[in-house]
């Protein structure tokens, strides 16, 4: 894991240098900055408070790279924000219970039915059930995709260490993160490094295109 963490640091530094205009999605928000790292004692205290063990790869990131900041989508959330059910409106009375196991092992969804004048009450009841926090027990929010979609790390249950998506705001349910088409499941450091590789490839391609355009304009 140490080698992977050093590789990630190097790639993040290269991406920051390449993307000075913050062209990558979400980079204008995080600007490739990282929050200060977490100490071992801070991580132990968090785990004891919530009766969990953090996945080793995520722990390694928090201790050696940063506690949130630069990352996929709009960046990584600080560990402290991970329990909020809604990252856009972080309410103390709407928290995820990390001490209970994540209940899913495959794509899960509910059919809310169609909203009509005749079944508004039934639809509201189904919607309340759909967004009940029990469906996301054991999930730690790690990134905000926007539009109510959240990327999450399973910290309790049989899917421990895997990344899952909470896409209930778009009626798509909760499912394993499909970031990599080659993976059925993906864990934190692989997920983060895939983001770096993708953005580095796009930025390099963009830089080559820009350079070629400048050369053509000079020759014309």
């Amino acid at each position: 894991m140490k080698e992977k963490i050093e590789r990630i640091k190097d790639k993040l530094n290269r991406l920051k240098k390449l993307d000075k205009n913050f062209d990558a999605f979400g980079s204008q928000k995080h600007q490739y900055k990282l929050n200060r790292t977490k100490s071992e004692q801070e991580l132990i205290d968090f785990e004891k408070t919530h009766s969990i063990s953090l996945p080793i790869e995520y722990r390694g990131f928090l201790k050696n790279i940063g506690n949130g900041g630069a990352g996929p989508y709009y960046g990584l959330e600080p560990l402290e924000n991970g329990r909020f059910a809604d990252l856009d409106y972080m309410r103390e009375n709407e928290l995820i219970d990390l001490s209970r196991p994540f209940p899913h092992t495959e794509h899960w969804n509910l059919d809310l039915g169609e909203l009509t004048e005749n079944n508004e009450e039934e639809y509201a009841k189904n919607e309340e059930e759909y967004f009940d926090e029990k469906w996301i027990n054991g999930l730690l929010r790690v990134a905000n995709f926007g539009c109510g979609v959240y990327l999450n790390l399973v910290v309790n249950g049989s899917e421990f260490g895997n990344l899952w998506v909470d896409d209930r705001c778009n009626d798509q349910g909760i499912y394993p993160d499909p970031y990599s088409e080659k993976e059925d499941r993906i864990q934190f450091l692989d997920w983060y490094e895939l983001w770096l590789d993708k953005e580095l490839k796009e930025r390099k391609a963009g830089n080559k295109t820009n350079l070629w355009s400048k050369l053509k304009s000079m020759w014309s």
Side-chain angles (χ1 to χ4, degrees), residues 24-195:
F25 175 76
S27 61
Q28 288 189 354
K29 180 179 179 183
H30 59 70
Q31 298 186 1
Y32 300 105
K33 296 176 182 178
L34 291 161
N35 300 326
R36 74 166 183 84
T37 56
K38 285 289 191 184
S39 68
E40 178 65 19
Q41 190 57 54
E42 286 175 317
L43 296 176
I44 290 172
D45 290 344
F46 184 89
E47 291 172 324
K48 284 183 177 179
T49 298
H50 303 294
S51 303
I52 59 164
S53 293
L54 292 168
I56 189 169
E57 289 196 353
Y58 184 57
R59 271 180 130 266
F61 190 97
L62 293 172
K63 282 183 65 176
N64 298 286
I65 299 180
N67 176 32
Y73 312 117
Y74 286 105
L76 298 180
E77 292 292 326
L79 176 63
E80 297 77 15
N81 290 356
R83 291 184 61 227
F84 287 105
D86 189 336
L87 289 175
D88 296 314
Y89 303 95
M90 292 183 279
R91 305 180 182 93
E92 293 293 338
N93 64 333
E94 295 179 5
L95 298 174
I96 300 169
D97 189 347
L98 302 182
S99 69
R100 293 178 180 271
F102 180 58
H104 312 296
T105 56
E106 57 185 28
H107 188 168
W108 170 89
N109 208 357
L110 283 180
D111 184 2
L112 298 181
E114 186 177 352
L115 177 60
T116 67
E117 292 182 1
N118 296 326
N119 73 341
E120 287 183 5
E121 186 175 337
E122 181 181 352
Y123 185 90
K125 183 178 180 180
N126 290 342
E127 187 175 40
E128 183 178 356
E129 171 70 8
Y130 191 47
F131 288 98
D132 194 303
E133 277 92 17
K134 69 183 179 183
W135 303 119
I136 51 173
N137 283 339
L139 278 189
L140 185 74
R141 305 290 202 208
V142 294
N144 190 345
F145 180 84
C147 301
V149 183
Y150 305 124
L151 281 294
N152 313 271
L153 184 64
V154 180
V155 296
N156 197 336
S158 60
E159 286 288 315
F160 181 79
N162 294 328
L163 273 292
W164 279 63
V165 180
D166 182 355
D167 196 3
R168 288 175 294 170
C169 277
N170 296 301
D171 300 333
Q172 298 302 307
I174 302 169
Y175 49 86
D177 186 3
Y179 192 83
S180 169
E181 296 177 358
K182 299 177 183 178
E183 302 278 351
D184 179 47
R185 295 289 191 274
I186 191 165
Q187 299 204 341
F188 187 82
L189 290 182
D190 288 336
W191 172 75
Y192 194 89
E193 191 169 13
L194 276 172
W195 166 70

